[in-house]
Amino acid sequence: MADKIQNAYKDSKDIYDDVLTQRSFLSRLYIKFFWGGTDDKEIARKVLSYIPDDFEGEILDVPVGTAVFTEEKWKRLTHSKITCLDYSEDMLYQARKRITEKHVNLIKGDVGNLEMGDEKFDIVLSMNGFHAFPDKNKAFSETYRVLKKGGKFIACFYIKGQSRKTDWLVKNILSKKGWFTPPFQTEDELREILSKYYSKVNLQVDGSMAYLECEK
């Protein structure tokens, strides 16, 4: 399963940014038809706004992907120590071309088996990751484990049950290609999971995308 996911993102590295940022007409058409016009750029803006521009502390970004949305934010946070992790070497290659600052460390790793100690990070960020992770239970558990008491888990990802078109696309195309990996949560199921881990949960939904800010 892990190899399937890695190969899928290797094959899609040239179109990944285009789809997320809707740079081309076909990408905009795809987003409008299958995702109800959900704007990934706007969701990314909202998610990153949960992190103050003067933040000082340790951040884990998993998966970093190509850093298409986080590049400018991470470059500005010069008083933070940021670890960007991804399982895909191809995604990391793209991210490393964008970010070369010394306070940002880009490494390969598995979110289901993080090689960091308990309560290391002040913030764990996961953008567009959980719908791809093969073992979501471990991903929830590990991101919680490495987060400090009082720290924040910030994320956005696909949830099912909001749109038949989107659910069909995810089930019949994206999952079979390896870009997404079932099972997926509904909004209610996700709220239940987050409430078991976190003392405060702020969960918002835009189309078939959930974005959230939780406090440990």
Side-chain angles (χ1 to χ4, degrees), residues 125-141:
L125 175 75
S126 184
M127 296 182 68
N128 301 311
F130 268 77
H131 50 238
F133 297 152
D135 192 329
K136 294 172 178 57
N137 289 330
K138 283 189 176 180
F140 278 117
S141 177

Side-chain angles (χ1 to χ4, degrees), residues 37-195:
T38 298
D39 189 339
D40 284 302
K41 292 183 292 184
E42 178 61 18
I43 291 177
R45 185 193 66 77
K46 291 176 180 177
V47 168
L48 291 174
S49 73
Y50 293 140
I51 306 174
D53 285 333
D54 59 352
F55 179 77
E56 297 182 13
E58 292 203 45
I59 300 173
L60 173 64
D61 177 4
V62 55
V64 63
T66 64
V68 63
F69 291 132
T70 53
E71 172 188 4
E72 296 303 322
K73 184 81 172 186
W74 294 164
K75 287 180 177 179
R76 291 196 300 270
L77 295 181
T78 56
H79 295 290
S80 293
K81 183 178 180 181
I82 304 168
T83 301
C84 297
L85 183 146
D86 206 292
Y87 189 74
S88 167
E89 289 283 6
D90 294 277
M91 294 291 108
L92 284 171
Y93 174 76
Q94 299 293 328
R96 286 179 179 132
K97 290 197 296 184
R98 285 191 160 107
I99 305 176
T100 59
E101 282 68 18
K102 292 182 179 180
H103 67 282
V104 183
N105 185 26
L106 293 103
I107 61 174
K108 182 176 180 179
D110 180 1
V111 70
N113 187 25
L114 294 173
E115 297 181 1
M116 297 92 172
D118 296 350
E119 300 189 357
K120 176 176 176 56
F121 297 99
D122 300 284
I123 292 175
V124 174
L125 175 75
S126 184
M127 296 182 68
N128 301 311
F130 268 77
H131 50 238
F133 297 152
D135 192 329
K136 294 172 178 57
N137 289 330
K138 283 189 176 180
F140 278 117
S141 177
E142 282 289 271
T143 49
Y144 177 83
R145 178 184 65 79
V146 300
L147 190 63
K148 293 179 181 178
K149 182 69 175 179
K152 290 186 177 182
F153 173 60
I154 300 169
C156 63
F157 48 89
Y158 160 75
I159 54 172
K160 67 179 182 181
Q162 302 293 315
S163 165
R164 290 184 178 180
K165 283 183 180 179
T166 307
D167 292 345
W168 182 92
L169 173 75
V170 170
K171 179 181 179 180
N172 294 284
I173 298 178
L174 301 183
S175 294
K176 291 182 178 179
K177 289 288 187 179
W179 294 321
F180 285 39
T181 308
F184 308 105
Q185 292 87 30
T186 64
E187 179 182 354
D188 289 341
E189 289 168 344
L190 179 57
R191 286 187 187 277
E192 183 177 355
I193 292 170
L194 294 172
S195 295

